[in-house]
Amino acid sequence: MNIATIGTGIIVEGFLQAVEQLDGASCHAVYSRKEATAKKLADKFGVQTTYTDLTAMLEDPHVEAVYIASPNRLHSEHATKALKHGKHVICEKPFTSNVKELEALIALAKEKQLLLFEAITTVHMPNYHLIKKHLHQLGKIKLVQCNYSQYSSKYNQLLAGETPNVFNPEFSGGALMDINIYNVHFIMNLFGSPEQVRYQANRHPNGIDTSGVLTFTYNDFIATSVAVRIQAA
Amino acid sequence: MNIATIGTGIIVEGFLQAVEQLDGASCHAVYSRKEATAKKLADKFGVQTTYTDLTAMLEDPHVEAVYIASPNRLHSEHATKALKHGKHVICEKPFTSNVKELEALIALAKEKQLLLFEAITTVHMPNYHLIKKHLHQLGKIKLVQCNYSQYSSKYNQLLAGETPNVFNPEFSGGALMDINIYNVHFIMNLFGSPEQVRYQANRHPNGIDTSGVLTFTYNDFIATSVAVRIQAA
């Protein structure tokens, strides 16, 4: 399968390294708004084709699937466009900025009979499947606590008055979208939908959540899900 | 100072061991509804006097202070009675079953000019004072997570269909009253009163909370406080 990539962040390099190890998959093209950025990434992974025009890339008949790693806010637009051009889609987390966008994407993928994946890796890992398989042996679950906290390399920029995408409300950034989403998948893939969810967040003056606590109330147990995307300045 | 004790649980033995190590304090009398129980405890710690009549003990002029370790529900009644008899009071946690009872106790102690303490040991420990002293060096606090979970020796009784005091709503039992209260003191002694508190609990069919998650929302940070008083059956 020939894949094309949208975005040139560090995660795309991780994706391309993974593709290199796959039989039957290869990267056919990379897209970036800037030619130099596209070229640099393409050269690093021996990709022949670069695009700075997204439509042109999606019209390339050699491209079968698209990996989307643009800023969160653009996921929906890019995935929609890719599906409309008949390409399968693997989209970075968070899938979309809201449920409405996701439902539209799912409907479109079904209509077009195309594959649509969110690149949440953790729930596909062997250790996660082992947890799921042996969960019943733990007896009755009463309390689940998840914590995914990590210093963001972009936090210094935020403190310096800049607004990197990951801390930009305009780009659907924030701790929940960025890393707490892993806890959400961890919990909901094991236990399904809770009766109630509540989010308490620390917010930057620009409104973005830099850390927060999710509480999931199930019929007979409780789960907490914490993410901190910063450290003390 | 001559102290008398109310209650004969294991915690009273811990209290009496501590009193033995104190200069200027000694146990003058122990009270229990049952003479045999009072005698057994008194003998173990070389206490001369036992009472099975609470009023009689509180009328004993040698008793200057009372240590109360009766079931939670009775704390208020016993502390009120002791204060009215002119005795200083050290009362086991939780102080009372509700704020109203506590406010009445405080007013009474002030009126009588007597000392009134809740026996929350943790916030008086040297390591806690070190935390408090050096807290500002940690920078801006964003998230605090406390967890005090411990298998209750009484949980098997609960599962067997009995209702030990600690799991009895009638006696103001439950995980919050029993051990999460330590987290509450830990947090509130460091950070003061939160803007908002919320409690999500797992409840036994009799209504008692066997585990639960407290979330404290402060102006600029969040604290979670978890207590589990059970393990999987």
Side-chain angles (χ1 to χ4, degrees), chain A residues 58-72:
Chain A
L58 293 173
E59 285 172 348
D60 182 337
H62 293 103
V63 173
E64 295 166 276
V66 173
Y67 167 72
I68 299 170
S70 47
N72 299 344

Side-chain angles (χ1 to χ4, degrees), chain A residues 138-140 142-143 145-147 149 155 196 198 200-203 210-213 215-222 224 226-228 230 232-233, chain B residues 138-140 142-143 145-147 149 155 196 198 200-203 210-213 215-222 224 226-228 230 232-233:
Chain A
L138 294 177
K140 196 159 163 43
K142 290 288 189 175
L143 199 70
Q145 289 187 276
C146 294
N147 189 332
S149 297
Y155 189 57
Q196 199 185 59
R198 188 174 185 236
Q200 292 166 277
N202 288 308
R203 290 176 186 278
T210 50
S211 55
V213 179
T215 45
F216 292 72
T217 312
Y218 286 87
N219 258 336
D220 52 358
F221 75 100
I222 301 158
T224 69
V226 168
V228 180
I230 57 163
Chain B
L138 294 177
K140 195 161 165 39
K142 290 289 189 174
L143 198 70
Q145 289 188 277
C146 294
N147 189 331
S149 297
Y155 189 57
Q196 199 185 58
R198 188 175 185 234
Q200 291 165 277
N202 288 310
R203 290 178 187 276
T210 50
S211 54
V213 179
T215 47
F216 293 72
T217 313
Y218 286 87
N219 258 336
D220 51 359
F221 75 100
I222 302 158
T224 68
V226 167
V228 179
I230 56 162

Side-chain angles (χ1 to χ4, degrees), chain B residues 44-104:
Chain B
K44 192 165 180 178
F45 290 91
V47 176
Q48 301 297 321
T49 316
T50 59
Y51 285 101
T52 55
D53 178 333
L54 187 59
T55 306
M57 185 184 84
L58 294 174
E59 285 172 349
D60 183 335
H62 292 103
V63 173
E64 294 165 276
V66 173
Y67 166 72
I68 299 170
S70 46
N72 300 344
R73 173 70 171 277
L74 302 173
H75 288 178
S76 170
E77 177 189 327
H78 289 163
T80 303
K81 198 164 180 177
L83 291 169
K84 283 187 175 168
H85 281 80
K87 314 299 185 190
H88 302 294
V89 166
I90 310 170
C91 182
E92 263 307 325
K93 37 68 52 180
F95 226 150
T96 56
S97 301
N98 54 60
V99 173
K100 202 175 157 187
E101 288 178 354
L102 181 58
E103 285 172 346

Side-chain angles (χ1 to χ4, degrees), chain A residues 151-162 164 167 231-233:
Chain A
Y151 182 70
S152 170
S153 56
K154 305 292 171 62
Y155 189 57
N156 289 340
Q157 291 179 33
L158 184 70
L159 293 178
E162 300 170 44
F167 290 117
Q231 286 179 332

Side-chain angles (χ1 to χ4, degrees), chain A residues 118-155:
Chain A
E118 185 180 27
I120 284 283
T121 50
T122 44
V123 295
H124 300 290
M125 287 176 173
N127 51 1
Y128 186 81
H129 286 283
L130 277 175
I131 292 173
K132 200 161 184 172
K133 186 178 168 188
H134 294 288
L135 193 65
H136 66 281
Q137 292 175 271
L138 294 177
K140 196 159 163 43
I141 302 290
K142 290 288 189 175
L143 199 70
V144 175
Q145 289 187 276
C146 294
N147 189 332
Y148 189 168
S149 297
Q150 195 181 46
Y151 182 70
S152 170
S153 56
K154 305 292 171 62
Y155 189 57

Side-chain angles (χ1 to χ4, degrees), chain A residues 85-133:
Chain A
H85 281 80
K87 314 300 185 190
H88 302 294
V89 166
I90 309 170
C91 182
E92 262 308 325
K93 37 66 51 181
F95 227 149
T96 56
S97 301
N98 53 61
V99 173
K100 202 175 157 187
E101 288 178 355
L102 180 59
E103 286 172 345
L105 272 191
I106 291 171
L108 181 59
K110 280 185 179 164
E111 179 199 324
K112 297 279 186 182
Q113 299 197 326
L114 292 165
L115 298 173
L116 174 69
F117 287 103
E118 185 180 27
I120 284 283
T121 50
T122 44
V123 295
H124 300 290
M125 287 176 173
N127 51 1
Y128 186 81
H129 286 283
L130 277 175
I131 292 173
K132 200 161 184 172
K133 186 178 168 188

